[in-house]
Short mmCIF file of all heavy atoms in Angstrom, two decimals:
data_model
loop_
_atom_site.label_atom_id
_atom_site.label_comp_id
_atom_site.label_asym_id
_atom_site.label_seq_id
_atom_site.Cartn_x
_atom_site.Cartn_y
_atom_site.Cartn_z
N THR M 1 12.96 260.91 138.33
CA THR M 1 12.86 260.37 136.98
C THR M 1 12.19 259.01 137.02
O THR M 1 12.11 258.38 138.08
CB THR M 1 14.25 260.28 136.30
OG1 THR M 1 14.06 260.06 134.90
CG2 THR M 1 15.08 259.16 136.89
N GLN M 2 11.70 258.55 135.87
CA GLN M 2 10.96 257.29 135.77
C GLN M 2 11.58 256.44 134.68
O GLN M 2 11.88 256.95 133.59
CB GLN M 2 9.50 257.56 135.42
CG GLN M 2 8.82 258.56 136.35
CD GLN M 2 7.59 259.18 135.71
OE1 GLN M 2 6.59 258.50 135.47
NE2 GLN M 2 7.65 260.47 135.41
N ASP M 3 11.76 255.14 134.94
CA ASP M 3 12.27 254.25 133.90
C ASP M 3 11.11 253.46 133.28
O ASP M 3 9.97 253.55 133.72
CB ASP M 3 13.37 253.33 134.44
CG ASP M 3 12.88 252.35 135.49
OD1 ASP M 3 11.65 252.14 135.61
OD2 ASP M 3 13.72 251.79 136.21
N ASP M 4 11.42 252.69 132.25
CA ASP M 4 10.38 251.97 131.53
C ASP M 4 9.78 250.84 132.35
O ASP M 4 8.65 250.40 132.08
CB ASP M 4 10.95 251.40 130.23
CG ASP M 4 11.08 252.46 129.14
OD1 ASP M 4 10.78 253.64 129.43
OD2 ASP M 4 11.49 252.12 128.02
N ALA M 5 10.52 250.34 133.32
CA ALA M 5 10.02 249.23 134.13
C ALA M 5 8.94 249.67 135.13
O ALA M 5 8.21 248.83 135.65
CB ALA M 5 11.17 248.56 134.88
N GLY M 6 8.85 250.98 135.39
CA GLY M 6 7.85 251.48 136.33
C GLY M 6 8.40 251.92 137.67
O GLY M 6 7.64 252.25 138.58
N TRP M 7 9.73 251.94 137.80
CA TRP M 7 10.34 252.47 139.03
C TRP M 7 10.40 253.99 138.95
O TRP M 7 10.73 254.56 137.91
CB TRP M 7 11.76 251.92 139.21
CG TRP M 7 11.85 250.46 139.51
CD1 TRP M 7 12.15 249.46 138.64
CD2 TRP M 7 11.67 249.85 140.79
NE1 TRP M 7 12.15 248.26 139.28
CE2 TRP M 7 11.87 248.46 140.60
CE3 TRP M 7 11.36 250.32 142.06
CZ2 TRP M 7 11.76 247.55 141.65
CZ3 TRP M 7 11.27 249.41 143.10
CH2 TRP M 7 11.46 248.05 142.91
N LEU M 8 10.11 254.64 140.07
CA LEU M 8 10.29 256.09 140.20
C LEU M 8 11.54 256.30 141.04
O LEU M 8 11.61 255.86 142.19
CB LEU M 8 9.08 256.72 140.89
CG LEU M 8 9.15 258.23 141.12
CD1 LEU M 8 9.07 258.97 139.80
CD2 LEU M 8 8.05 258.69 142.05
N TRP M 9 12.54 256.97 140.46
CA TRP M 9 13.84 257.18 141.12
C TRP M 9 13.95 258.63 141.56
O TRP M 9 13.45 259.54 140.89
CB TRP M 9 14.98 256.86 140.16
CG TRP M 9 14.98 255.44 139.67
CD1 TRP M 9 14.28 254.94 138.60
CD2 TRP M 9 15.73 254.35 140.20
NE1 TRP M 9 14.54 253.61 138.45
CE2 TRP M 9 15.43 253.20 139.41
CE3 TRP M 9 16.62 254.21 141.26
CZ2 TRP M 9 16.00 251.96 139.65
CZ3 TRP M 9 17.19 252.97 141.50
CH2 TRP M 9 16.88 251.86 140.71
N ALA M 10 14.62 258.85 142.67
CA ALA M 10 14.79 260.20 143.20
C ALA M 10 16.14 260.32 143.87
O ALA M 10 16.77 259.32 144.25
CB ALA M 10 13.68 260.53 144.19
N VAL M 11 16.59 261.56 144.02
CA VAL M 11 17.81 261.86 144.76
C VAL M 11 17.44 262.77 145.92
O VAL M 11 16.83 263.82 145.73
CB VAL M 11 18.87 262.54 143.87
CG1 VAL M 11 20.11 262.89 144.70
CG2 VAL M 11 19.24 261.65 142.70
N ARG M 12 17.80 262.34 147.11
CA ARG M 12 17.62 263.16 148.30
C ARG M 12 18.96 263.83 148.59
O ARG M 12 20.00 263.38 148.15
CB ARG M 12 17.16 262.30 149.48
CG ARG M 12 16.78 263.08 150.74
CD ARG M 12 16.31 262.12 151.82
NE ARG M 12 14.93 261.69 151.60
CZ ARG M 12 14.39 260.63 152.20
NH1 ARG M 12 15.11 259.88 153.00
NH2 ARG M 12 13.12 260.33 151.97
N GLU M 13 18.94 264.92 149.31
CA GLU M 13 20.18 265.62 149.66
C GLU M 13 21.19 264.66 150.26
O GLU M 13 20.85 263.66 150.85
CB GLU M 13 19.88 266.76 150.64
CG GLU M 13 19.27 267.96 149.95
CD GLU M 13 19.18 269.15 150.87
OE1 GLU M 13 18.60 269.02 151.95
OE2 GLU M 13 19.67 270.22 150.49
N ALA M 14 22.46 264.97 150.07
CA ALA M 14 23.59 264.11 150.41
C ALA M 14 23.72 262.97 149.41
O ALA M 14 24.33 261.94 149.68
CB ALA M 14 23.49 263.55 151.85
N SER M 15 23.12 263.15 148.21
CA SER M 15 23.26 262.20 147.11
C SER M 15 22.78 260.80 147.48
O SER M 15 23.37 259.80 147.09
CB SER M 15 24.72 262.15 146.63
OG SER M 15 25.15 263.41 146.18
N GLN M 16 21.69 260.74 148.21
CA GLN M 16 21.08 259.46 148.57
C GLN M 16 20.10 259.06 147.47
O GLN M 16 19.21 259.82 147.10
CB GLN M 16 20.36 259.58 149.91
CG GLN M 16 19.80 258.28 150.45
CD GLN M 16 19.09 258.48 151.77
OE1 GLN M 16 18.35 259.45 151.95
NE2 GLN M 16 19.32 257.58 152.71
N ILE M 17 20.27 257.85 146.91
CA ILE M 17 19.43 257.37 145.82
C ILE M 17 18.23 256.63 146.41
O ILE M 17 18.39 255.70 147.21
CB ILE M 17 20.22 256.44 144.88
CG1 ILE M 17 21.53 257.09 144.44
CG2 ILE M 17 19.37 256.06 143.68
CD1 ILE M 17 21.35 258.37 143.67
N LEU M 18 17.03 257.04 145.99
CA LEU M 18 15.79 256.44 146.47
C LEU M 18 14.97 255.95 145.29
O LEU M 18 15.13 256.42 144.17
CB LEU M 18 14.97 257.46 147.27
CG LEU M 18 15.68 258.25 148.37
CD1 LEU M 18 14.76 259.33 148.91
CD2 LEU M 18 16.14 257.33 149.48
N ARG M 19 14.05 255.01 145.56
CA ARG M 19 13.12 254.62 144.52
C ARG M 19 11.81 254.14 145.12
O ARG M 19 11.75 253.69 146.26
CB ARG M 19 13.72 253.53 143.62
CG ARG M 19 13.85 252.16 144.29
CD ARG M 19 14.41 251.15 143.29
NE ARG M 19 14.57 249.84 143.91
CZ ARG M 19 15.09 248.79 143.30
NH1 ARG M 19 15.53 248.90 142.05
NH2 ARG M 19 15.20 247.63 143.92
N ILE M 20 10.76 254.28 144.31
CA ILE M 20 9.42 253.84 144.67
C ILE M 20 8.95 252.84 143.62
O ILE M 20 9.13 253.07 142.42
CB ILE M 20 8.44 255.02 144.75
CG1 ILE M 20 8.87 256.00 145.84
CG2 ILE M 20 7.02 254.55 145.01
CD1 ILE M 20 8.03 257.26 145.91
N ASP M 21 8.37 251.73 144.07
CA ASP M 21 7.91 250.69 143.15
C ASP M 21 6.50 251.01 142.69
O ASP M 21 5.52 250.74 143.38
CB ASP M 21 7.95 249.33 143.85
CG ASP M 21 7.65 248.19 142.89
OD1 ASP M 21 7.33 248.48 141.72
OD2 ASP M 21 7.72 247.02 143.32
N TRP M 22 6.42 251.59 141.47
CA TRP M 22 5.11 251.86 140.86
C TRP M 22 4.94 251.02 139.59
O TRP M 22 4.27 251.43 138.65
CB TRP M 22 4.99 253.36 140.53
CG TRP M 22 4.59 254.17 141.73
CD1 TRP M 22 4.22 253.71 142.96
CD2 TRP M 22 4.51 255.60 141.82
NE1 TRP M 22 3.93 254.75 143.81
CE2 TRP M 22 4.10 255.93 143.13
CE3 TRP M 22 4.76 256.62 140.93
CZ2 TRP M 22 3.93 257.23 143.56
CZ3 TRP M 22 4.59 257.93 141.35
CH2 TRP M 22 4.18 258.23 142.65
N ARG M 23 5.55 249.83 139.59
CA ARG M 23 5.45 248.97 138.41
C ARG M 23 4.02 248.50 138.17
O ARG M 23 3.65 248.19 137.04
CB ARG M 23 6.39 247.77 138.57
CG ARG M 23 7.88 248.15 138.45
CD ARG M 23 8.77 246.97 138.73
NE ARG M 23 8.70 246.57 140.13
CZ ARG M 23 9.35 245.54 140.64
NH1 ARG M 23 10.16 244.81 139.85
NH2 ARG M 23 9.25 245.22 141.91
N GLN M 24 3.22 248.44 139.22
CA GLN M 24 1.82 248.04 139.08
C GLN M 24 0.88 249.24 139.11
O GLN M 24 -0.33 249.07 139.25
CB GLN M 24 1.45 247.05 140.21
CG GLN M 24 2.35 245.83 140.31
CD GLN M 24 2.40 245.05 139.01
OE1 GLN M 24 1.39 244.84 138.35
NE2 GLN M 24 3.59 244.61 138.63
N GLY M 25 1.44 250.44 138.98
CA GLY M 25 0.63 251.64 139.01
C GLY M 25 0.96 252.51 140.20
O GLY M 25 1.62 252.08 141.16
N MET M 26 0.49 253.76 140.18
CA MET M 26 0.80 254.70 141.24
C MET M 26 0.03 254.39 142.51
O MET M 26 -1.17 254.10 142.46
CB MET M 26 0.47 256.13 140.79
CG MET M 26 1.10 257.20 141.65
SD MET M 26 0.25 258.77 141.46
CE MET M 26 -1.26 258.42 142.33
N ARG M 27 0.73 254.42 143.64
CA ARG M 27 0.10 254.19 144.95
C ARG M 27 0.64 255.22 145.93
O ARG M 27 1.85 255.38 146.08
CB ARG M 27 0.42 252.79 145.47
CG ARG M 27 -0.20 251.66 144.68
CD ARG M 27 0.28 250.32 145.21
NE ARG M 27 0.23 250.27 146.66
CZ ARG M 27 0.93 249.37 147.38
NH1 ARG M 27 1.72 248.50 146.80
NH2 ARG M 27 0.82 249.38 148.70
N PHE M 28 -0.27 255.89 146.62
CA PHE M 28 0.14 256.88 147.61
C PHE M 28 0.76 256.22 148.85
O PHE M 28 1.54 256.85 149.55
CB PHE M 28 -1.04 257.76 148.03
CG PHE M 28 -1.48 258.72 146.97
CD1 PHE M 28 -2.62 258.48 146.23
CD2 PHE M 28 -0.73 259.85 146.69
CE1 PHE M 28 -3.02 259.36 145.24
CE2 PHE M 28 -1.12 260.75 145.71
CZ PHE M 28 -2.27 260.49 144.97
N ASP M 29 0.42 254.95 149.10
CA ASP M 29 0.96 254.27 150.28
C ASP M 29 2.19 253.44 149.95
O ASP M 29 2.62 252.60 150.75
CB ASP M 29 -0.11 253.37 150.90
CG ASP M 29 -0.59 252.28 149.95
OD1 ASP M 29 -0.25 252.34 148.75
OD2 ASP M 29 -1.30 251.36 150.41
N ALA M 30 2.77 253.65 148.77
CA ALA M 30 3.96 252.89 148.39
C ALA M 30 5.12 253.21 149.33
O ALA M 30 5.27 254.34 149.80
CB ALA M 30 4.34 253.20 146.95
N THR M 31 5.93 252.20 149.59
CA THR M 31 7.11 252.40 150.42
C THR M 31 8.25 252.91 149.56
O THR M 31 8.32 252.67 148.35
CB THR M 31 7.54 251.10 151.10
OG1 THR M 31 7.81 250.11 150.09
CG2 THR M 31 6.44 250.59 152.02
N ILE M 32 9.16 253.66 150.17
CA ILE M 32 10.32 254.18 149.47
C ILE M 32 11.55 253.42 149.94
O ILE M 32 11.67 253.10 151.13
CB ILE M 32 10.47 255.70 149.71
CG1 ILE M 32 11.48 256.30 148.74
CG2 ILE M 32 10.83 256.02 151.15
CD1 ILE M 32 11.42 257.81 148.64
N GLU M 33 12.40 253.07 149.02
CA GLU M 33 13.56 252.23 149.29
C GLU M 33 14.85 253.00 149.01
O GLU M 33 14.96 253.70 148.01
CB GLU M 33 13.49 250.98 148.39
CG GLU M 33 14.68 250.07 148.48
CD GLU M 33 14.61 248.93 147.46
OE1 GLU M 33 13.72 248.97 146.59
OE2 GLU M 33 15.47 248.04 147.52
N THR M 34 15.81 252.86 149.91
CA THR M 34 17.13 253.42 149.69
C THR M 34 17.97 252.42 148.91
O THR M 34 18.07 251.26 149.28
CB THR M 34 17.82 253.75 151.02
OG1 THR M 34 17.03 254.70 151.74
CG2 THR M 34 19.20 254.35 150.78
N VAL M 35 18.56 252.87 147.81
CA VAL M 35 19.35 252.00 146.94
C VAL M 35 20.82 252.35 147.14
O VAL M 35 21.21 253.52 147.02
CB VAL M 35 18.94 252.18 145.47
CG1 VAL M 35 19.75 251.26 144.57
CG2 VAL M 35 17.45 251.91 145.30
N GLY M 36 21.63 251.34 147.44
CA GLY M 36 23.04 251.61 147.73
C GLY M 36 23.94 250.43 147.42
O GLY M 36 23.86 249.82 146.36
N GLY M 37 24.79 250.10 148.39
CA GLY M 37 25.82 249.09 148.19
C GLY M 37 25.28 247.72 147.81
O GLY M 37 25.90 247.01 147.01
N ALA M 38 24.13 247.33 148.35
CA ALA M 38 23.56 246.03 148.03
C ALA M 38 23.16 245.92 146.56
O ALA M 38 22.97 244.81 146.04
CB ALA M 38 22.35 245.75 148.91
N HIS M 39 23.04 247.08 145.89
CA HIS M 39 22.67 247.10 144.48
C HIS M 39 23.85 247.50 143.59
O HIS M 39 23.66 247.81 142.41
CB HIS M 39 21.51 248.07 144.26
CG HIS M 39 20.26 247.70 144.99
ND1 HIS M 39 20.05 248.07 146.30
CD2 HIS M 39 19.18 246.97 144.61
CE1 HIS M 39 18.87 247.60 146.70
NE2 HIS M 39 18.32 246.94 145.70
N GLY M 40 25.06 247.50 144.17
CA GLY M 40 26.25 247.78 143.38
C GLY M 40 26.62 249.23 143.26
O GLY M 40 27.47 249.59 142.42
N LEU M 41 26.04 250.10 144.09
CA LEU M 41 26.35 251.53 144.03
C LEU M 41 27.38 251.90 145.09
O LEU M 41 27.37 251.35 146.21
CB LEU M 41 25.09 252.37 144.26
CG LEU M 41 24.06 252.39 143.13
CD1 LEU M 41 22.88 253.27 143.53
CD2 LEU M 41 24.66 252.89 141.83
N PRO M 42 28.25 252.86 144.79
CA PRO M 42 29.15 253.38 145.82
C PRO M 42 28.40 254.30 146.77
O PRO M 42 27.24 254.65 146.52
CB PRO M 42 30.18 254.15 145.01
CG PRO M 42 29.42 254.62 143.81
CD PRO M 42 28.45 253.52 143.49
N SER M 43 29.05 254.69 147.85
CA SER M 43 28.45 255.66 148.76
C SER M 43 28.76 257.06 148.24
O SER M 43 29.84 257.59 148.45
CB SER M 43 29.01 255.48 150.18
OG SER M 43 28.53 256.51 151.02
N TYR M 44 27.78 257.63 147.53
CA TYR M 44 28.00 258.96 146.96
C TYR M 44 28.15 260.02 148.05
O TYR M 44 28.89 260.99 147.89
CB TYR M 44 26.85 259.32 146.03
CG TYR M 44 26.77 258.46 144.80
CD1 TYR M 44 25.70 257.60 144.58
CD2 TYR M 44 27.79 258.49 143.84
CE1 TYR M 44 25.63 256.81 143.44
CE2 TYR M 44 27.73 257.70 142.70
CZ TYR M 44 26.64 256.87 142.51
OH TYR M 44 26.58 256.08 141.38
#
């Protein structure tokens, strides 16, 4: 899914939350980030 700020969010198996920073537009070489405890999320 995509939010208005330009982040692309995804769920990988085992309920791992991921996101890609496309706030400046789509990039094939964008890095993917795991979002978890440092962002206030529990370990799903």
Side-chain angles (χ1 to χ4, degrees):
T1 194
Q2 307 159 67
D3 65 17
D4 282 3
W7 292 100
L8 179 69
W9 300 85
V11 178
R12 187 178 280 163
E13 283 189 306
S15 299
Q16 186 181 42
I17 309 299
L18 310 173
R19 71 178 179 183
I20 298 175
D21 187 355
W22 278 353
R23 289 175 292 178
Q24 305 304 318
M26 196 200 72
R27 292 175 46 198
F28 288 104
D29 61 349
T31 59
I32 193 165
E33 175 186 9
T34 300
V35 181
H39 298 85
L41 288 180
S43 174
Y44 294 114

